[in-house]
Amino acid sequence: MRLEDVWLRYRRRGPWVLRSVQVRVDPGQVVVVTGRNGAGKSTLLQLAAGVLRPVRGRLADRPRAVGWVPERFPADQPFTVERYLTGMARVAGLPGVEAERAVGRWTARLGLVPFRAVRLPELSKGTAQKVGLAQAMLRDPGLLVLDEPWEGLDAAARDLVPELVDEVVAGGGSVLVSDHRGETVRLPGARRWAVADGTVTEEDPTGTETFAVVELAVPSAQVAGTVARLRADGHHVLRVRPDAVPTADPGAAPGPPRAAEDAPDPSGSTAGPAAGHR
Amino acid sequence: MTALVRLRLAAFLRTGRALAPALAGLVALGILYGGGRAQPAEAYGVSAVVLFPVLAWQTKILLDVEPDGQRRLVRVLVGPTREQVAGLLAAGVAALVTIAVALVFPWLVGGVTGPVEPGDRSVPAGILVGVWAHLLALPAAVALGALASRASTGSAGYGVAVLAVGGVAAVALGLRGSVAPWLVPPVMATARAAAGDLPAITVLLLSAWAAAWCLAAGTVYLWHRRFRP
């Protein structure tokens, strides 16, 4: 799919939100869209998904089946989860039996089975977000557009997002995903588009970003939780050294103790190209 | 398309928002037929005028029931044209039900009478004229309601203004001797024609007028929605 010299503004004589955007994503690729709040990430994703149409320029070769997960799922609807997903499957063109099968598969996959008979407005934010994910996956999407898909999801469900991305990519589809929580470290190998000042630029894929290593000491009982939180915040934990002896911080007496971390990660993971703070 | 129409009708009915225009329609018909008996063609002509703003309001409510986010999800699934057309079709189906009730209603409350004098239209012919008058008002009302919907105006306040101005203008500019009757759909002209002899050429002209107005209003709606997902 290509965006060819795409310009967009929301009203006549309004400011341009996106200017002369020229990007391309090929089948099998994952692109992470980054940028500060209000930079135009969601606008770019909605253009790609087909929600918005460019004021100037054009989109070419957009796959026929597009799945879009908005940042906030519209839960204010008078349907149960099952009725809604079945209705959306039928709207997407799936015949009756196939629609029911798709709904059964994705409600099971996303842990929505206990909520099938629950009305959408009664769902928690995270569960509603899962319904948003499910509706996007009902027909195998050739393009999956995820706008802050981790928002509101619990830890187990957050792990599901990269799985879904991998499946779409393995099936020859493309994925665009935005994120401001650092969760996209779960998508290694993804290209990165930075949105700023109305323009979209591709960040250097060669990895010129610099990293710093931050050493910290935590009580042994809190190691697992701290590691999990650091990962959830998008940091790379290189290793944990349980036998470290805290030493005084020469620059901040009588501040907190400091220790190097030098042992295998208790959570079992050894992955991580860089350490500490990004 | 059918699945989307059904989904939108289901949302309209399940939220209970369908009740308000239904009650308003019944009250309007009750007032209309409470004043005395008339022959079917004349009664139905006025009924179509009375129902015009009710059907437009019903359309606005039906389209507004769907959250903006859901409308955009549907747009991704089926594309902008089908999303918009499905909304108009769902509103048309809902309006057909309301019209069916309006056609039956006067017979239940004794609001209509058969031919009184020689030369009066027969009851079946009167009903036929009444059906035609209502079917002429239906697409125009749906088009006005769509123009007043949140998706089109972007705000509830503008939507109510469009609805009110459209409803009042249809009557005010449709009066005999109006300076610009062509600006509004021919609901008033149809009511006058239904009460008279109604030659075939009048039927054709009024039908063409209604079709042209709906085409213009529908085009404005679809054009307006191009950049309003």
Side-chain angles (χ1 to χ4, degrees):
Chain A
M1 185 187 67
R2 304 187 308 276
L3 278 72
E4 298 178 347
D5 194 22
V6 165
W7 295 62
L8 186 131
R9 59 184 171 193
Y10 283 103
R11 59 181 185 280
R12 196 184 293 264
R13 289 188 290 278
W16 290 105
V17 180
L18 293 174
R19 288 177 285 120
S20 193
V21 174
Q22 192 102 27
V23 288
R24 171 194 181 109
V25 56
D26 292 320
Q29 289 187 335
V30 180
V31 176
V32 173
V33 180
T34 61
R36 60 173 172 73
N37 290 342
K41 299 190 296 291
S42 290
T43 300
L44 179 67
L45 294 183
Q46 289 184 49
L47 266 171
V51 178
L52 300 172
R53 60 194 305 169
V55 175
R56 296 181 196 164
R58 71 177 195 124
L59 271 83
D61 302 332
R62 178 166 46 213
R64 194 167 174 276
V66 177
W68 175 51
V69 180
E71 186 177 358
R72 277 184 291 275
F73 175 74
D76 186 20
Q77 299 186 64
F79 300 116
T80 62
V81 170
E82 182 172 13
R83 172 75 181 85
Y84 173 76
L85 288 176
T86 306
M88 288 297 275
R90 300 301 304 272
V91 169
L94 297 181
V97 178
E98 210 174 310
E100 283 173 22
R101 197 178 302 136
V103 171
R105 177 180 172 219
W106 285 105
T107 49
R109 186 83 188 278
L110 292 165
L112 289 170
V113 172
F115 302 97
R116 284 179 72 132
V118 177
R119 288 164 63 89
L120 293 177
E122 293 165 11
L123 297 175
S124 69
K125 183 182 176 188
T127 309
Q129 188 70 351
K130 288 182 189 175
V131 177
L133 276 170
Q135 64 78 28
M137 297 299 294
L138 287 171
R139 58 176 181 175
D140 296 336
L143 171 66
L144 180 62
V145 180
L146 304 167
D147 195 352
E148 307 282 357
W150 287 279
E151 204 63 42
L153 295 182
D154 55 32
R158 282 203 295 269
D159 289 337
L160 260 172
V161 176
E163 283 182 28
L164 301 185
V165 169
D166 286 346
E167 286 175 23
V168 172
V169 168
S174 316
V175 180
L176 296 181
V177 54
S178 73
D179 168 46
H180 72 274
R181 293 163 53 97
E183 297 278 358
T184 46
V185 294
R186 297 165 187 261
L187 302 173
R191 294 165 57 197
R192 302 180 83 84
W193 292 350
V195 185
D197 299 325
T199 60
V200 180
T201 50
E202 176 138 17
E203 290 181 349
D204 184 2
T206 56
T208 54
E209 193 174 8
T210 58
F211 294 88
V213 175
V214 176
E215 297 183 335
L216 71 158
V218 296
S220 299
Q222 297 174 15
V223 167
T226 304
V227 167
R229 274 197 302 280
L230 286 169
R231 289 217 165 99
D233 288 343
H235 304 299
H236 292 203
V237 177
L238 292 179
R239 64 184 65 184
V240 174
R241 195 175 67 201
D243 58 343
V245 179
T247 56
D249 183 344
R258 185 184 63 157
E261 297 181 329
D262 206 24
D265 174 356
S267 64
S269 169
T270 55
H277 184 72
R278 296 188 64 174
Chain B
M1 186 79 90
T2 311
L4 182 51
V5 170
R6 287 172 59 185
L7 193 68
R8 282 180 165 160
L9 283 171
F12 179 56
L13 294 174
R14 286 174 186 226
T15 52
R17 303 278 306 276
L19 272 177
L23 288 175
L26 286 175
V27 168
L29 291 173
I31 293 170
L32 173 66
Y33 291 111
R37 294 158 70 90
Q39 293 190 35
E42 186 180 357
Y44 283 142
V46 180
S47 160
V49 173
V50 167
L51 278 188
F52 176 75
V54 174
L55 295 178
W57 182 34
Q58 180 177 272
T59 298
K60 173 175 164 49
I61 289 179
L62 186 147
L63 295 177
D64 286 355
V65 157
E66 189 175 41
D68 293 344
Q70 174 60 20
R71 189 174 62 249
R72 289 167 187 155
L73 283 173
V74 166
R75 194 178 169 103
V76 169
L77 287 183
V78 302
T81 306
R82 290 170 73 189
E83 179 269 308
Q84 291 161 23
V85 171
L88 298 178
L89 282 177
V93 171
L96 273 178
V97 173
T98 305
I99 285 175
V101 171
L103 291 173
V104 172
F105 186 86
W107 299 99
L108 300 177
V109 299
V112 284
T113 180
V116 178
E117 296 175 6
D120 283 351
R121 260 192 211 98
S122 66
V123 168
I127 292 175
L128 201 62
V129 170
V131 169
W132 168 74
H134 281 91
L135 290 182
L136 233 58
L138 183 153
V142 167
L144 175 61
L147 283 171
S149 67
R150 191 177 63 247
S152 175
T153 61
S155 106
Y158 285 138
V160 172
V162 169
L163 196 63
V165 169
V168 171
V171 175
L173 293 177
L175 292 172
R176 204 186 298 273
S178 163
V179 292
W182 300 95
L183 278 179
V184 292
V187 285
M188 290 289 283
T190 304
R192 283 195 299 273
D197 288 343
L198 197 60
I201 186 67
T202 305
V203 173
L204 280 175
L205 282 174
L206 287 172
S207 300
W209 177 359
W213 194 91
C214 291
L215 190 66
T219 305
V220 170
Y221 172 68
L222 295 177
W223 180 83
H224 209 214
R225 288 280 323 271
R226 284 183 75 223
F227 297 105
R228 288 180 185 272

